Amino acid sequence: TMSKPNILFLMPDQLRPDFLSCYGADFIDTPNIDSLAGEGTLYRNAYSTSPVCVTARHNILTGLNSIRAGVLNNSQFIRPDYAACGIRTWPELLGENGYHTAGIGKMHFYPWDAMMGYDERVICEDKRWLHIQDDYADFLAQKGLRKLHGNEHEGYLENRGAFVHQHPFDCSWDYFVGDAATHFIRDYDRDQPFAAMVGFPGPHCPYDPSPEYADRYDPADMPPAIPEVEGEHPKMREGNINGNKLPWNGVDYSEFTDAHKAKIRAHYCGLIAQIDHMVGEILQALRDTGQLDNTIVLFASDHGDYLGDHNLIGKGSFFEASCHVPLIARVPGQPGGRENSDLVALADVTPSMMQFAGCETPDYVDFQPLPGLGLKECAPREYLYGMMAGGWMAYDGRYKLCKYSTGEHVLFDLQEDPTEINNLIRDESHCAIYERLDSALTREIMRSVLASRHDQLVYAHDLSGDEAFGQPGWRRTYPQPL
């Protein structure tokens, strides 16, 4: 047994917790993911504070919130000279502390083949980036196949992105990633511990299970979508429709029926079942190689998927379907079957991995170690703050305030209204709650905006007594490190 544990972080893309049986779903069986919860700690109130792909992954990579990192949507990425600014990615920090680091599957870096501190990568990028010549593209080419757009399949448009993929399961995106992870584990023979992140591209849209999984779930058995409240978020709905008409998807959701939503949900379940199977293969590889008892396994997702809730598809807001995520931690030697109800952020996995690895957590990190795992704990959060290009959130575990760039603002009482139907923003009896949340949110946004301009900082102390500053030719340090 190594003195330091291996760390394995499994992250499907766009996975809702309420579509896992360990989170209470009775219409799907996810035994392998459930086994992690049975042997570990399941977090009931875990949230992606920036629920779109690149922003969420960037929170994890850097430990910075999205305003501070300057990555607020999928078209942005950290500045190339981030190291000169004093920022270190978690693979870099763990690598410097004796770990061999690996990124397997979808990372969503720009450029897509950037290393960002990983010692090795096996790349299978986003299901929508069909022209990327990654390892998965090479794998398909060896079999005489290629990546396919959804519109190359029967029923894609009619079923609003739900179809049966032409490729068999052993040629699917998630099989490739899971298989690469099992090979990494089985072949690992270094003296140093490993820290690996495994990014499954699914169950992100298109909703394209392989033929072997396509008919496992009946649309009639799916829970119904939460209905849209007439006139409550028309601009959000319009933006959702227009965004999905773009070539990456090309699906028109102007007409989005209950039947469409049920079929999408059934196909989504098929994709989850595929991933659950591969999680089982990965865990079996750890058992077979004698590494399970020395490997910390973390499981989470970057964000959820509306799946028709509020008449929306995909993600990008602070509705529960979009930002509430599964998060499970299996730590050898600790009791299993535990649940934790503290407010936690997805990117809390970053300082957690650092502490598990024995690293010093940089003082600029915005997130905190997961509670209940024997780490150096912080006080429980009073609020979770969300921030993206199109919206902000403050959530205290019961009341959630969201302010969107569309001008649509909402206040929900999740205890009384878990489906987020009743907007209390104009309810006079909730004025004090609104003002409390709005004040907390404003302070955090202001703090983050100021901290995000660290590269423009000229000095961290008073220059009035600095003789060097008074001499001709003085130059400021640029960029100022964090």
Side-chain angles (χ1 to χ4, degrees):
T1 301
M2 298 175 184
S3 59
K4 294 180 180 179
N6 299 319
I7 299 171
L8 182 62
F9 179 21
L10 307 176
M11 194 169 83
D13 191 314
Q14 207 155 299
L15 174 62
R16 289 171 55 152
D18 58 345
F19 274 67
L20 297 173
S21 46
C22 56
Y23 277 88
D26 59 5
F27 52 88
I28 185 172
D29 186 24
T30 50
N32 296 303
I33 297 170
D34 292 0
S35 74
L36 291 173
E39 299 173 4
T41 300
L42 180 149
Y43 291 88
R44 283 283 171 192
N45 292 308
Y47 287 83
S48 177
T49 53
S50 299
V52 288
C53 295
V54 176
T55 58
R57 292 160 192 275
H58 222 82
N59 295 157
I60 294 167
L61 185 67
T62 65
L64 294 168
N65 72 36
S66 297
I67 288 177
R68 295 188 63 202
V71 181
L72 291 159
N73 61 33
N74 280 348
S75 68
Q76 298 174 324
F77 201 62
I78 194 170
R79 50 188 290 172
D81 63 343
Y82 69 88
C85 299
I87 299 171
R88 310 291 285 161
T89 67
W90 75 260
E92 289 171 340
L93 288 169
L94 268 63
E96 293 166 4
N97 205 46
Y99 276 77
H100 179 77
T101 57
I104 301 169
K106 177 179 175 177
M107 298 292 126
H108 225 323
F109 295 159
Y110 298 129
W112 58 268
D113 55 354
M115 297 303 290
M116 304 305 295
Y118 285 113
D119 294 315
E120 63 175 285
R121 289 191 64 193
V122 179
I123 306 176
C124 177
E125 268 303 333
D126 194 291
K127 292 165 72 173
R128 297 297 190 170
W129 296 89
L130 303 180
H131 298 298
I132 289 179
Q133 296 300 305
D134 54 16
D135 296 302
Y136 177 59
D138 294 340
F139 166 80
L140 289 179
Q142 292 171 6
K143 297 178 176 292
L145 302 172
R146 61 177 176 83
K147 299 179 185 180
L148 300 173
H149 194 288
N151 60 22
E152 298 178 73
H153 295 78
E154 182 180 352
Y156 176 67
L157 298 177
E158 298 87 334
N159 296 322
R160 304 301 187 265
F163 61 91
V164 180
H165 204 286
Q166 297 175 34
H167 296 164
F169 177 51
D170 62 4
C171 293
S172 68
W173 314 79
D174 294 321
Y175 178 91
F176 174 82
V177 170
D179 191 56
T182 61
H183 279 290
F184 171 80
I185 291 166
R186 292 185 184 280
D187 297 341
Y188 193 77
D189 60 359
R190 296 175 180 268
D191 293 332
Q192 61 193 132
F194 68 76
M197 181 171 177
V198 179
F200 290 100
H204 191 291
C205 68
Y207 308 100
D208 59 344
S210 302
E212 299 93 325
Y213 285 82
D215 297 325
R216 290 200 177 192
Y217 299 95
D218 189 336
D221 296 332
M222 295 296 105
I226 297 168
E228 178 182 14
V229 177
E230 186 75 25
E232 192 58 67
H233 52 266
K235 293 180 181 177
M236 185 186 295
R237 164 77 170 142
E238 180 183 6
N240 189 252
I241 291 170
N242 291 337
N244 280 283
K245 286 180 180 178
L246 296 174
W248 69 272
N249 192 0
V251 176
D252 186 352
Y253 288 94
S254 300
E255 182 188 15
F256 198 15
T257 67
D258 290 344
H260 290 141
K261 295 168 186 176
K263 188 171 185 65
I264 284 171
R265 288 170 172 236
H267 280 235
Y268 184 77
C269 286
L271 290 170
I272 294 170
Q274 293 181 183
I275 292 169
D276 185 75
H277 175 82
M278 297 315 299
V279 169
E281 293 295 303
I282 290 168
L283 295 176
Q284 190 61 48
L286 288 171
R287 290 189 194 93
D288 291 346
T289 56
Q291 298 180 86
L292 184 60
D293 290 339
N294 195 49
T295 301
I296 294 164
V297 182
L298 302 168
F299 180 93
S301 185
D302 54 349
H303 49 74
D305 190 321
Y306 302 118
L307 301 177
D309 281 352
H310 312 287
N311 215 20
L312 301 169
I313 195 72
K315 69 282 184 179
S317 78
F318 296 106
F319 277 121
E320 289 285 290
S322 172
C323 70
H324 196 176
V325 296
L327 203 164
I328 301 168
R330 181 193 183 279
V331 181
Q334 294 190 4
R338 297 184 298 172
E339 293 189 1
N340 185 290
S341 296
D342 291 357
L343 278 178
V344 300
L346 168 64
D348 287 348
V349 299
T350 301
S352 300
M353 289 191 292
M354 292 174 183
Q355 283 202 24
F356 281 132
C359 297
E360 287 292 327
T361 303
D363 58 9
Y364 59 75
V365 167
D366 288 311
F367 300 93
Q368 59 191 54
L370 291 165
L373 301 181
L375 301 172
K376 182 180 179 181
E377 293 193 17
C378 302
R381 282 187 176 88
E382 186 175 2
Y383 301 101
L384 268 179
Y385 299 105
M387 49 196 73
M388 297 184 298
W392 301 336
M393 175 194 75
Y395 179 45
D396 68 3
R398 175 174 179 176
Y399 294 101
K400 183 195 291 184
L401 172 65
C402 309
K403 308 178 85 171
Y404 296 107
S405 59
T406 60
E408 294 162 326
H409 299 175
V410 296
L411 174 65
F412 295 117
D413 179 350
L414 272 294
Q415 180 176 300
E416 299 297 326
D417 178 29
T419 57
E420 299 172 301
I421 292 293
N422 184 23
N423 184 6
L424 303 171
I425 200 76
R426 291 174 289 275
D427 187 330
E428 292 184 1
S429 67
H430 288 78
C431 285
I433 293 167
Y434 168 81
E435 290 174 0
R436 173 174 59 83
L437 289 167
D438 190 51
S439 177
L441 178 59
T442 300
R443 287 195 301 271
E444 176 62 15
I445 295 299
M446 287 183 172
R447 180 196 75 84
S448 298
V449 168
L450 179 60
S452 74
R453 310 316 305 165
H454 70 274
D455 58 312
Q456 295 176 328
L457 187 68
V458 174
Y459 62 87
H461 61 280
D462 184 2
L463 287 177
S464 64
D466 190 327
E467 293 186 6
F469 172 64
Q471 300 302 311
W474 177 86
R475 294 290 183 271
R476 68 178 173 124
T477 300
Y478 179 82
Q480 281 279 348
L482 281 172

